Amino acid sequence: KEIKITFDNDSVKYWGYISDRTMGGVSNGQALLDQDGDVKFARLTGNVSTDNNGGFIQLRSTLSFANLNSINTNLQGVRIKTRGNNETYHIFIRTSETQSYRDFYYATFVAEDKWKIIDLPFTKFKHRFYDKSLNGNDIRTFAIVAYGRDFTSDVSVSEIIFY
């Protein structure tokens, strides 16, 4: 069974913007609900700077509203509908086993300038420190992240589908 997450005036309250400023970095940006015709989407814009040991802005959720881990016991991956400025972005997933904000699983994608569906099986996610596999049935936080280098972020996501 698939779990589809869309962005609207109600669901957007479950998402939060976080930047490296929480740890002394200087990146700045914003996350907002935007609309193109009938399509509503989350948009993460800003300037990512690696100065002061920083280097990220992100849109993150616990997905508690989706009851993700109680609905499906055999999730295989995540599919996102995205567009952007042809830059590389990341999805960070934390589980009950990840102990700190630096401890996460990640996968990358390029947000092209036209809407595109990107399929990311959990087997493509890597742990930041260890050689271990992501358990898709133990997702605690999910984030869309502009990360790791100096660049201008402009990434939009209209759907997230866990399958």
Side-chain angles (χ1 to χ4, degrees):
K1 182 178 176 181
E2 291 185 347
I3 300 154
K4 183 176 179 179
I5 296 169
T6 56
F7 294 90
D8 57 34
N9 295 339
D10 186 46
S11 67
V12 75
K13 68 185 173 196
Y14 298 104
W15 294 84
Y17 168 81
I18 301 163
S19 77
D20 58 21
R21 289 179 180 256
T22 61
M23 48 177 259
V26 296
S27 299
N28 65 63
Q30 66 178 349
L32 52 91
L33 182 64
D34 207 341
Q35 190 165 349
D36 183 5
D38 292 343
V39 179
K40 289 186 178 181
F41 53 92
R43 187 172 185 185
L44 179 66
T45 60
N47 293 306
V48 179
S49 171
T50 55
D51 291 350
N52 253 15
N53 295 315
F56 72 87
I57 60 174
Q58 67 177 285
L59 176 64
R60 184 170 71 190
S61 176
T62 61
L63 299 178
S64 56
F65 66 98
N67 296 316
L68 193 60
N69 297 318
S70 63
I71 293 173
N72 196 322
T73 57
N74 196 22
L75 293 173
Q76 300 297 309
V78 62
R79 190 174 292 126
I80 60 172
K81 188 171 183 182
T82 185
R83 76 172 178 194
N85 58 349
N86 296 304
E87 292 282 357
T88 298
Y89 295 93
H90 298 72
I91 291 177
F92 288 1
I93 290 177
R94 293 193 47 213
T95 68
S96 63
E97 293 180 354
T98 54
Q99 300 301 313
S100 77
Y101 67 90
R102 295 181 183 188
D103 189 7
F104 53 82
Y105 295 87
Y106 69 93
T108 62
F109 65 95
V110 174
E112 298 178 4
D113 60 358
K114 296 201 174 4
W115 287 108
K116 182 177 177 180
I117 294 172
I118 297 175
D119 198 5
L120 296 165
F122 291 139
T123 55
K124 293 207 172 171
F125 281 75
K126 295 179 174 39
H127 190 273
R128 183 161 180 231
F129 300 120
Y130 308 108
D131 183 20
K132 59 182 183 178
S133 302
L134 171 61
N135 175 357
N137 299 307
D138 185 27
I139 295 172
R140 296 294 183 251
T141 66
F142 183 92
I144 298 146
V145 188
Y147 173 75
R149 66 193 194 290
D150 297 332
F151 75 107
T152 299
S153 169
D154 189 353
V155 59
S156 299
V157 176
S158 65
E159 288 180 354
I160 301 169
I161 299 171
F162 292 91
Y163 62 88

